[in-house]
Amino acid sequence: MRPDRPGTQPARPVTGARVTASGWGWRHAGRARAAVSGLDLDIRPGERVLVLGPSGAGKSTLMHALAGVLGDDEDGDETGELLVDGRRPSASRGRVGLVLQDPDSQVVLARVGDDVAFGCENLAVPRAEIWPRVGQALADVGLDLPLRHPTSALSGGQKQRLALAGVLAMRPGLVLLDEPTANLDPEGVVEVRDAVLRSVEASGATLIVIEHRVAVWQQVVDRIIVLDPAGGILADGPTDRVLSAEGERLAAAGVWIPRFPPAPPERRNRSEASEAEVLLHAEGLCVGRVPFARKRAVVVAGELNLTLESGTATAVTGPNGTGKSTLALTLAGLLAPAGGHLTAADALAAGLGPAPHRWRSRDLLERIGTVFQDPEHQFLAGTVRGELAIGPRALGLGGAAQTERVDALLHRLRLDHLADANPFTLSGGEKRRLSVATVLATRPRLLVLDEPTFGQDSRTWAELVRLLAELLDEGTAVLAVTHDEQFVSALADARLTLVPGAGPAGSPGGATGRLSSGLRRRIGTEPL
């Protein structure tokens, strides 16, 4: 019988892998432009490398290639040579562990312990060694859950920790992390980063990390490599030298450099804007989801009180697993409340009734637009342009009006060069911008956004935030689930912080909410 929480054992030394590239490039099938081209690299065994670059520079493509999961000749065209320990990556899969951007795509099995053990079992690790590895990996990433805990009940951030634990348990010679902390709360970011460092220091593995936010990793990596979207490398060298000598140039290219943050957008004073209207009001709201084969929702957060008004932005923050995404889906009318009251005002409901979860999807289009935490969950079309046209077409707009809206969003969110690409072939940051654009295409009165700035470089982040600021000034309401404190500082009028603790009756351990208003004090107005 598998132990509920196995013990740990010292890690066996691992020889770090060497990575080399010579004129390497890859063009995805159906794309006119290569995702990566002219890449020359030599990463030494045991080196810790941070890979940077503007959104769409090919960072994730490189990681997938190194993990041997990029595909074959039918999936794209390869040039040059990319090797791990002198062999093609497809022949070195046992030596490489990859954590992807999308947490859901990495969950394989139904229980936490089995999922972490999956990679070890595929590598034929002796049975007696697997479960101590599982226990150590879960402890390292701070996922303190029983091994039998269902993976379907995990939050996005917890799934990211789970994926990392599965990789660490394999003890690979090359650890590849693609935005490993993007969906984590601030404490979780530090925990996961430190867990990775402990693992590679103990094992001797080579580490390659993709992360837009440099500050998280700059003190703990040996080297920074910056990919150029035009091909090759923008900068390469020791961390301090690259950031000091190349910082301003890299920031201008869209790389997040701590000394050169993007400028926040200007917001119109409330006294200059139209009078706010109440759109949604929650009182004593409880939120939860109905597990498979169950009839009643399991409450994850309760006793929540908030009011969403036109022209205002509310940020929902808090640790992973406190129900932030579940709250967002409930406010968006996609989940029924598990208790309490959620009422849509006449300004939003327009005669449909006060319960958004009872509205038809067609009724939601111009009223509440939702951006999911995982962009892939809302893609329906075969091209980016087709994806953006779905909403306007459903509204009955004519061809000229559809084209005008789609073209404007393609240009504004830097997606025009990808108009004919398949949405699933985009980078993580490009997928996020597309998911936001598909919702903006129907111009709803309330935007519910789950991690809207995930995967963005500093330029696309600033463009997205400026666009949301303009929508707020025009009277759109925004509710955003986010761990991005710069986003909160730039836009939020109020913050609802979900905190673990004693939730509503019958839901021990559920989260509760703490509302802070008046984050942005506008001239001539009182705080909200």
Side-chain angles (χ1 to χ4, degrees):
M1 181 176 177
R2 293 167 180 167
D4 189 61
R5 176 59 71 175
T8 61
Q9 66 181 33
R12 296 178 180 176
V14 174
T15 304
R18 188 177 199 116
V19 173
T20 56
S22 177
W24 184 77
W26 178 269
R27 183 179 63 82
H28 294 284
R31 301 277 284 272
R33 199 167 74 182
V36 183
S37 63
L39 186 64
D40 296 309
L41 277 180
D42 186 1
I43 298 175
R44 299 180 299 275
E47 201 167 14
R48 294 183 292 198
V49 178
L50 177 62
V51 176
L52 304 174
S55 179
K59 303 182 296 295
S60 293
T61 300
L62 173 61
M63 296 294 243
H64 292 166
L66 288 172
V69 297
L70 194 55
D72 53 29
D73 292 340
E74 295 181 359
D75 297 312
D77 296 324
E78 185 176 25
T79 57
E81 188 176 61
L82 181 68
L83 303 174
V84 176
D85 290 333
R87 299 189 299 171
R88 290 182 58 82
S90 58
S92 305
R93 287 173 181 160
R95 288 277 286 157
V96 182
L98 170 65
V99 177
L100 299 167
Q101 289 177 331
D102 175 17
D104 275 332
S105 68
Q106 300 163 94
V107 178
V108 179
L109 298 176
R111 297 187 296 188
V112 164
D114 294 337
D115 197 82
V116 177
F118 180 76
C120 294
E121 291 171 342
N122 277 274
L123 294 177
V125 174
R127 183 181 180 85
E129 192 176 334
I130 289 178
W131 293 103
R133 286 196 189 190
V134 169
Q136 182 68 61
L138 286 170
D140 283 344
V141 301
L143 194 57
D144 187 18
L145 295 171
L147 297 184
R148 296 176 177 83
H149 188 83
T151 54
S152 60
L154 300 180
S155 70
Q158 289 172 322
K159 289 176 183 176
Q160 197 73 338
R161 292 178 190 240
L162 179 70
L164 179 58
V167 165
L168 297 183
M170 292 164 57
R171 296 179 185 165
L174 175 60
V175 177
L176 305 172
L177 306 180
D178 192 349
E179 300 264 14
T181 64
N183 291 317
L184 299 180
D185 56 71
E187 290 185 2
V189 168
V190 175
E191 287 179 4
V192 166
R193 181 201 63 192
D194 291 348
V196 171
L197 293 176
R198 286 194 301 270
S199 175
V200 297
E201 286 173 357
S203 68
T206 305
L207 172 67
I208 303 178
V209 184
I210 291 175
E211 187 71 73
H212 276 293
R213 304 303 179 99
V214 175
V216 175
W217 294 91
Q218 70 179 87
Q219 301 300 325
V220 297
V221 296
D222 309 311
R223 177 180 173 188
I224 286 179
I225 297 172
V226 186
L227 300 189
D228 189 340
I233 291 175
L234 274 175
D236 182 4
T239 304
D240 290 341
R241 182 176 66 78
V242 169
L243 294 181
S244 60
E246 304 284 349
E248 188 171 6
R249 181 172 73 95
L250 295 178
V255 178
W256 282 96
I257 303 296
R259 292 186 297 120
F260 302 99
E266 292 291 332
R267 289 276 306 276
R268 186 185 305 168
N269 291 332
R270 176 59 56 82
S271 58
E272 300 173 7
S274 59
E275 185 175 347
E277 296 178 293
V278 173
L279 301 180
L280 273 183
H281 177 68
E283 184 173 350
L285 178 65
C286 301
V287 299
R289 304 192 190 217
V290 180
F292 179 72
R294 294 275 296 275
K295 294 184 178 180
R296 298 187 61 182
V298 174
V299 176
V300 294
E303 303 302 327
L304 304 173
N305 303 300
L306 75 158
T307 299
L308 302 182
E309 297 181 339
S310 61
T312 66
T314 301
V316 179
T317 63
N320 292 117
T322 50
K324 299 184 299 298
S325 293
T326 304
L327 170 61
L329 292 173
T330 304
L331 295 174
L334 302 179
L335 290 177
H341 302 280
L342 176 63
T343 304
D346 289 341
L348 182 67
L352 291 176
H357 73 278
R358 299 188 184 279
W359 299 350
R360 300 173 304 166
S361 57
R362 172 65 177 78
D363 297 327
L364 287 169
L365 276 176
E366 291 181 295
R367 292 171 175 84
I368 307 177
T370 307
V371 173
F372 300 127
Q373 188 175 68
D374 302 306
E376 292 89 345
H377 289 180
Q378 61 195 94
F379 292 157
L380 301 171
T383 67
V384 168
R385 180 179 293 279
E387 195 70 45
L388 289 174
I390 289 174
R393 187 181 306 117
L395 291 176
L397 295 184
Q402 286 184 35
T403 300
E404 182 181 356
R405 285 197 187 186
V406 169
D407 286 348
L409 287 168
L410 285 171
H411 177 71
R412 186 68 186 271
L413 293 176
R414 298 178 186 268
L415 294 170
D416 35 13
H417 67 290
L418 298 168
D420 296 323
N422 187 304
F424 291 95
T425 68
L426 306 186
S427 72
E430 291 164 346
K431 288 176 183 176
R432 169 51 75 214
R433 297 203 300 284
L434 176 58
S435 67
V436 172
T438 58
V439 172
L440 297 181
T442 62
R443 300 178 182 174
R445 294 212 62 191
L446 169 62
L447 291 173
V448 178
L449 312 173
D450 200 340
E451 298 290 356
T453 57
F454 162 71
Q456 300 309 304
D457 64 41
S458 62
R459 288 187 304 178
T460 56
W461 181 94
E463 192 62 47
L464 182 58
V465 171
R466 280 195 295 271
L467 178 56
L468 292 175
E470 291 173 11
L471 293 171
L472 286 164
D473 288 339
E474 293 168 2
T476 302
V478 172
L479 179 129
V481 172
T482 184
H483 293 302
D484 183 350
E485 284 298 322
Q486 285 180 281
F487 179 86
V488 174
S489 177
L491 287 184
D493 300 286
R495 181 204 296 255
L496 178 68
T497 303
L498 298 191
V499 292
S507 62
T512 56
R514 184 173 62 239
L515 184 66
S516 303
S517 299
L519 298 186
R520 296 181 61 255
R521 297 176 180 268
R522 298 183 179 87
I523 298 173
T525 64
E526 295 297 323
L528 290 179

Coordinates of all heavy atoms in Angstrom, one line a residue, residues 26-35 70 72-78 382-384 416-426:
W26 N 13.5 26.8 -36.3 CA 12.3 26.0 -36.4 C 11.1 26.9 -36.9 O 10.9 28.0 -36.4 CB 11.9 25.4 -35.1 CG 10.6 24.6 -35.2 CD1 9.3 25.0 -35.0 CD2 10.4 23.2 -35.5 NE1 8.4 24.0 -35.1 CE2 9.1 22.9 -35.5 CE3 11.4 22.2 -35.9 CZ2 8.6 21.6 -35.8 CZ3 10.9 20.9 -36.2 CH2 9.5 20.7 -36.1
R27 N 10.5 26.4 -38.0 CA 9.3 27.1 -38.5 C 8.1 26.2 -38.3 O 8.1 25.1 -38.8 CB 9.5 27.5 -39.9 CG 8.3 28.3 -40.5 CD 8.5 28.7 -42.0 NE 8.6 27.5 -42.8 CZ 7.6 26.8 -43.3 NH1 6.3 27.2 -43.0 NH2 7.8 25.8 -44.1
H28 N 7.1 26.6 -37.6 CA 5.9 25.8 -37.4 C 5.1 25.6 -38.8 O 5.1 26.5 -39.6 CB 4.9 26.4 -36.4 CG 5.5 26.5 -35.0 ND1 5.5 25.4 -34.2 CD2 6.0 27.5 -34.3 CE1 6.0 25.7 -33.0 NE2 6.3 27.0 -33.1
A29 N 4.5 24.5 -39.0 CA 3.8 24.2 -40.2 C 2.7 25.3 -40.4 O 2.0 25.6 -39.4 CB 3.2 22.8 -40.1
G30 N 2.6 25.8 -41.6 CA 1.5 26.7 -41.9 C 1.9 28.2 -41.6 O 1.1 29.1 -41.8
R31 N 3.1 28.4 -41.0 CA 3.5 29.7 -40.7 C 4.6 30.2 -41.6 O 5.5 29.5 -42.0 CB 4.1 29.8 -39.2 CG 3.2 29.3 -38.2 CD 2.2 30.4 -37.7 NE 2.9 31.3 -36.9 CZ 3.0 31.2 -35.5 NH1 2.5 30.1 -34.9 NH2 3.6 32.1 -34.8
A32 N 4.5 31.5 -42.1 CA 5.4 32.0 -43.0 C 6.8 32.3 -42.4 O 7.8 32.2 -43.1 CB 4.8 33.3 -43.7
R33 N 6.8 32.7 -41.1 CA 8.0 33.1 -40.5 C 8.4 32.1 -39.5 O 7.6 31.5 -38.8 CB 7.7 34.5 -39.8 CG 9.0 35.2 -39.5 CD 8.6 36.6 -39.1 NE 8.0 36.7 -37.7 CZ 7.6 37.8 -37.1 NH1 7.6 39.0 -37.8 NH2 7.1 37.8 -35.9
A34 N 9.7 31.9 -39.4 CA 10.3 31.0 -38.4 C 10.1 31.5 -37.0 O 10.2 32.7 -36.7 CB 11.8 30.8 -38.7
A35 N 9.8 30.6 -36.0 CA 9.7 30.9 -34.6 C 11.0 31.2 -34.0 O 11.2 32.1 -33.2 CB 9.0 29.8 -33.9
L70 N 8.8 18.8 -29.7 CA 8.4 19.8 -30.7 C 7.6 19.2 -31.9 O 6.7 19.8 -32.5 CB 9.6 20.5 -31.2 CG 9.3 21.8 -32.0 CD1 8.5 22.8 -31.2 CD2 10.6 22.5 -32.4
D72 N 7.6 16.4 -35.5 CA 8.4 15.8 -36.6 C 8.3 16.7 -37.8 O 7.9 17.9 -37.7 CB 8.0 14.4 -36.9 CG 6.5 14.3 -37.2 OD1 5.9 15.3 -37.7 OD2 5.9 13.2 -37.0
D73 N 8.8 16.2 -38.9 CA 8.9 17.1 -40.1 C 7.5 17.5 -40.6 O 7.4 18.6 -41.3 CB 9.5 16.3 -41.3 CG 11.0 16.0 -41.0 OD1 11.6 16.8 -40.2 OD2 11.6 15.1 -41.6
E74 N 6.4 16.8 -40.2 CA 5.1 17.2 -40.6 C 4.6 18.4 -39.8 O 3.6 19.1 -40.2 CB 4.1 16.0 -40.5 CG 4.4 14.9 -41.4 CD 3.4 13.8 -41.3 OE1 2.5 13.9 -40.4 OE2 3.5 12.8 -42.0
D75 N 5.2 18.6 -38.6 CA 4.8 19.7 -37.8 C 5.5 21.0 -38.0 O 5.2 22.0 -37.4 CB 4.9 19.3 -36.3 CG 4.1 18.1 -35.9 OD1 2.9 18.1 -36.3 OD2 4.6 17.2 -35.3
G76 N 6.6 20.9 -38.8 CA 7.4 22.1 -39.1 C 8.7 21.8 -39.8 O 9.0 20.7 -40.1
D77 N 9.4 22.9 -40.0 CA 10.7 22.8 -40.8 C 11.8 23.1 -39.8 O 11.8 24.2 -39.2 CB 10.7 23.7 -42.0 CG 9.7 23.3 -43.0 OD1 9.4 22.1 -43.2 OD2 9.1 24.2 -43.6
E78 N 12.8 22.3 -39.7 CA 14.0 22.5 -38.8 C 15.2 22.8 -39.7 O 15.4 22.2 -40.7 CB 14.2 21.2 -38.0 CG 15.3 21.4 -36.9 CD 15.4 20.2 -36.0 OE1 15.1 19.1 -36.5 OE2 15.9 20.4 -34.9
G382 N -10.0 28.1 -36.4 CA -8.7 27.6 -36.9 C -7.7 28.6 -37.1 O -6.5 28.3 -37.4
T383 N -8.1 29.9 -37.1 CA -7.1 31.0 -37.3 C -7.4 32.1 -36.2 O -8.5 32.2 -35.6 CB -7.3 31.7 -38.7 OG1 -8.6 32.3 -38.8 CG2 -7.1 30.6 -39.8
V384 N -6.4 33.0 -36.0 CA -6.5 34.1 -35.1 C -7.7 35.0 -35.5 O -8.5 35.4 -34.8 CB -5.2 34.8 -34.9 CG1 -5.4 36.1 -34.2 CG2 -4.2 33.9 -34.2
D416 N -1.4 41.3 -35.5 CA -1.7 41.3 -36.9 C -0.9 40.4 -37.8 O -1.4 39.9 -38.8 CB -1.7 42.8 -37.5 CG -0.6 43.6 -36.8 OD1 0.3 43.0 -36.2 OD2 -0.6 44.8 -37.0
H417 N 0.4 40.2 -37.4 CA 1.2 39.3 -38.2 C 0.9 37.8 -38.0 O 1.4 36.9 -38.7 CB 2.7 39.5 -37.9 CG 3.1 39.1 -36.5 ND1 2.7 39.8 -35.4 CD2 3.8 38.1 -36.0 CE1 3.1 39.3 -34.3 NE2 3.8 38.2 -34.6
L418 N 0.0 37.5 -37.1 CA -0.4 36.2 -36.8 C -1.9 35.9 -37.2 O -2.5 34.9 -36.8 CB -0.3 35.9 -35.3 CG 1.1 36.0 -34.7 CD1 1.1 36.0 -33.2 CD2 2.0 34.8 -35.3
A419 N -2.5 36.8 -38.0 CA -3.9 36.7 -38.3 C -4.3 35.4 -38.9 O -5.4 34.9 -38.6 CB -4.3 37.8 -39.3
D420 N -3.5 34.7 -39.7 CA -3.8 33.5 -40.3 C -3.2 32.3 -39.6 O -3.4 31.1 -40.1 CB -3.3 33.5 -41.8 CG -4.0 34.6 -42.6 OD1 -5.2 34.8 -42.4 OD2 -3.3 35.2 -43.4
A421 N -2.6 32.5 -38.4 CA -2.0 31.4 -37.7 C -3.1 30.6 -36.9 O -4.1 31.2 -36.5 CB -0.9 31.9 -36.8
N422 N -2.8 29.4 -36.6 CA -3.7 28.6 -35.7 C -3.5 29.1 -34.3 O -2.4 29.2 -33.8 CB -3.4 27.1 -35.8 CG -4.4 26.3 -35.0 OD1 -4.6 26.4 -33.8 ND2 -5.0 25.3 -35.7
P423 N -4.6 29.4 -33.5 CA -4.4 29.9 -32.2 C -3.6 29.0 -31.2 O -2.9 29.5 -30.4 CB -5.8 30.1 -31.6 CG -6.6 30.3 -32.9 CD -6.0 29.4 -33.9
F424 N -3.6 27.7 -31.5 CA -2.9 26.8 -30.6 C -1.4 26.8 -30.8 O -0.7 26.2 -30.1 CB -3.5 25.4 -30.7 CG -4.9 25.3 -30.1 CD1 -6.0 25.4 -30.9 CD2 -5.1 25.1 -28.8 CE1 -7.3 25.4 -30.4 CE2 -6.4 25.0 -28.2 CZ -7.5 25.2 -29.1
T425 N -1.0 27.4 -31.9 CA 0.5 27.4 -32.2 C 1.1 28.7 -31.7 O 2.3 28.9 -31.9 CB 0.8 27.3 -33.7 OG1 0.3 28.5 -34.4 CG2 0.1 26.1 -34.3
L426 N 0.4 29.6 -31.1 CA 0.9 30.8 -30.6 C 1.7 30.6 -29.3 O 1.6 29.6 -28.6 CB -0.2 31.9 -30.3 CG -1.2 32.2 -31.4 CD1 -2.1 33.3 -31.0 CD2 -0.4 32.5 -32.7

